[in-house]
Amino acid sequence: MSFSAANEPDFSRTALPTKRTISKQVWAWAAWDWGSAAFNAVMTTFVFTVYLTSSLFGNEDQNSALLSAGISIAGVLIALLAPVTGLRSDSSGRRRFWLGVNTFLIAGLTALCFFVYPHPNFLLLGVVLIAAGNIFNEFAAINYNAMLSQISTPKTIGQVSGFGWGMGYLGGIVALAIVLFGFVQPVVDWWGSSSEDALNLRLVALFSALWIFVFGLPVLFAVPENKGVRAQKVGFFESYRLLFRRIAGLWKTDRHTVYFLIASAIFRDGLASVFTFGGVIASVTFGFTLSQVIVFAIAGNVVAALGAMFGGWLDDRIGPKKVILGSLIGLLLAGFGVFFSPGAGGFWIFGLFLCLFVGPAQSSSRAFVARLAESGREGELFGLYATTGRAVSFLAPTLFTAAVVIALNYFPDGGAQRYGILGIMLVLAIGFLLLLPVKAPVHARSAESSQA
């Protein structure tokens, strides 16, 4: 797949690359999404968090609550630190450098999960490592997402963004398949397949770290630094004052951008929780074995990749807002389908529908911001995007935890976790309602008009 920038008058960058160069940069950029799938799909969704919340570490519902609490704390820290990340990377012209630093930190924290042995005493270590990985993954994503405008045009932002998300899901498929057939249910008997002290699952962490590192390298070589206009360095606390001044400026000049940042912050928290707790719900609530969770994850990623790529294509034609709203409706219907499902069969059906709609919502949300950002200030807006997002990142995990804790009073012997789904659905519904009055970006409205 390649995306041409030819004859695009609105693409006012310093030097317009050739079609061949852009194609190379898009593939290298999307490789990072492919590599990050090892953390998102293997570590935080379908494998390692399922391991952490298993009976090997004690009460499964309590383990789920602790994991949710850890992710909530990580969200608060991200909200506090993201302004520094976004503002400084944009003004320093070192976007690529900080993407590399944070990627290597993610890989390192993932590798340390090898030392999380199957005993309750190691549960906290595992939660801390996963939570810390989430923090640096978000910091890396600020710089990664800001690169979207460097490798696309206003007419192809949706398609390129969808291609990146699709590559992430496909990377998850390959990584999960290797984990399943190499570690969990190995087709070849080798020393790393031993389940003694959960060696096979701990080795999954080392495999994931290597995957993140290797596929995180291409973008660091193919996409140049965005030098832009370097601003004067801003101190740690001054960056927050600057952040509030810029938000105030947006409120005066472009209020709908602020509306979108608020709405997307809420529904993106719900989207993240769908993936964070998806594997855990399958395991604890519906009785999936780890192998069954991975098989479902592979199928889910196939569906999600198709949804993301189709959603990206649709985004460039009808605009990101319509894609996001339609996806949120689909997510709500599928989520309640999962809640009312009596068994594994229902989870398969409605769970796959959840996967289908998550990708387009994520991709079009990123494309929405890229269309709003002024040339040379993409990092700034994506920094605000991350900051506002993580400012409420405690919301869905907290409501999930609260629902589970309340339900434990009525279902102490199992079944309480199912009610956590309602907390996530509530967050998605609020995000949907807040997005309704938001105006679409200029380029998206143009796309809508051209299709009328």
Side-chain angles (χ1 to χ4, degrees):
M1 180 180 291
S2 65
F3 304 96
S4 175
N7 302 319
E8 181 52 56
D10 292 329
F11 192 53
S12 54
R13 302 296 191 267
T14 55
L16 198 62
T18 64
K19 177 178 179 180
R20 182 175 180 181
T21 302
I22 287 182
S23 178
K24 176 184 176 182
Q25 291 182 350
V26 168
W27 279 101
W29 178 79
W32 191 90
D33 252 326
W34 176 287
S36 68
F39 185 79
N40 296 322
V42 177
M43 296 299 294
T44 66
T45 305
F46 296 112
V47 181
F48 204 79
T49 50
V50 174
Y51 166 59
L52 285 178
T53 55
S54 70
S55 59
L56 293 171
F57 294 89
N59 182 276
E60 293 176 332
D61 285 330
Q62 292 178 357
N63 295 344
S64 297
L66 180 61
L67 175 64
S68 177
I71 293 173
S72 297
I73 293 172
V76 172
L77 291 175
I78 290 169
L80 292 173
L81 298 173
V84 179
T85 301
L87 294 175
R88 290 190 174 183
S89 66
D90 205 34
S91 61
S92 67
R94 305 188 73 189
R95 184 179 295 165
R96 183 180 64 180
F97 171 79
W98 287 112
L99 174 60
V101 168
N102 287 296
T103 299
F104 297 150
L105 286 171
I106 299 166
L109 289 165
T110 301
L112 288 175
C113 287
F114 172 79
F115 298 102
V116 180
Y117 289 86
H119 189 278
N121 291 340
F122 290 89
L123 175 61
L124 183 59
L125 173 62
V127 170
V128 169
L129 290 173
I130 291 296
N134 271 280
I135 292 172
F136 291 108
N137 191 54
E138 188 69 46
F139 291 168
I142 292 172
N143 297 284
Y144 174 75
N145 290 338
M147 287 182 174
L148 177 58
S149 295
Q150 290 179 246
I151 59 169
S152 66
T153 75
K155 289 184 177 180
T156 62
I157 283 177
Q159 192 176 0
V160 173
S161 181
F163 177 62
W165 278 110
M167 284 288 286
Y169 290 126
L170 293 175
I173 294 169
V174 177
L176 287 167
I178 293 173
V179 167
L180 177 61
F181 298 117
F183 299 92
V184 180
Q185 289 184 344
V187 294
V188 176
D189 188 19
W190 65 296
W191 66 269
S193 63
S194 172
S195 60
E196 185 177 355
D197 280 337
L199 176 63
N200 58 335
L201 298 181
R202 291 186 294 115
L203 282 174
V204 165
L206 294 182
F207 161 76
S208 298
L210 182 63
W211 188 272
I212 294 166
F213 177 79
V214 170
F215 290 105
L217 291 176
V219 67
L220 304 180
F221 292 98
V223 180
E225 287 284 19
N226 182 38
K227 298 298 182 181
V229 179
R230 295 198 178 198
Q232 184 178 1
K233 289 186 177 181
V234 180
F236 182 82
F237 294 105
E238 177 61 26
S239 65
Y240 292 102
R241 288 190 286 270
L242 179 59
L243 172 71
F244 293 133
R245 287 200 299 270
R246 288 179 175 175
I247 291 176
L250 281 175
W251 181 256
K252 293 178 180 178
T253 61
D254 192 1
R255 196 162 294 184
H256 281 272
T257 295
V258 179
Y259 293 157
F260 177 75
L261 290 174
I262 295 172
S264 70
I266 293 175
F267 72 69
R268 283 185 292 130
D269 187 41
L271 296 176
S273 293
V274 167
F275 276 101
T276 299
F277 297 106
V280 176
I281 291 170
S283 174
V284 178
T285 300
F286 293 94
F288 281 38
T289 65
L290 180 57
S291 297
Q292 290 172 328
V293 169
I294 296 175
V295 170
F296 173 81
I298 292 172
N301 275 4
V302 171
V303 173
L306 294 174
M309 291 185 179
F310 176 73
W313 174 85
L314 197 62
D315 182 300
D316 288 326
R317 285 155 179 79
I318 67 173
K321 180 181 174 180
K322 291 181 180 178
V323 174
I324 297 170
L325 288 174
S327 298
L328 290 176
I329 292 174
L331 282 162
L332 288 169
L333 294 175
F336 284 113
V338 171
F339 177 76
F340 289 109
S341 294
F347 180 84
W348 266 98
I349 295 172
F350 292 107
L352 289 179
F353 271 109
L354 274 172
C355 295
L356 179 66
F357 292 111
V358 167
Q362 292 173 321
S363 174
S364 287
S365 183
R366 177 166 66 185
F368 199 115
V369 176
R371 285 188 170 95
L372 290 172
E374 296 179 20
S375 178
R377 300 183 68 179
E378 296 87 359
E380 176 184 322
L381 192 57
F382 272 110
L384 289 173
Y385 181 65
T387 301
T388 53
R390 302 315 299 190
V392 299
S393 63
F394 64 90
L395 186 59
T398 299
L399 290 178
F400 179 92
T401 302
V404 172
V405 171
I406 293 171
L408 276 171
N409 295 322
Y410 303 95
F411 306 97
D413 298 323
Q417 192 191 68
R418 179 188 295 267
Y419 288 83
I421 300 171
L422 296 180
I424 297 173
M425 294 303 103
L426 177 60
V427 173
L428 291 174
I430 294 172
F432 173 85
L433 293 175
L434 290 176
L435 182 62
L436 285 174
V438 177
K439 291 181 180 179
V442 173
H443 292 299
R445 288 197 294 269
S446 297
E448 290 166 2
S449 299
S450 66
Q451 296 298 317

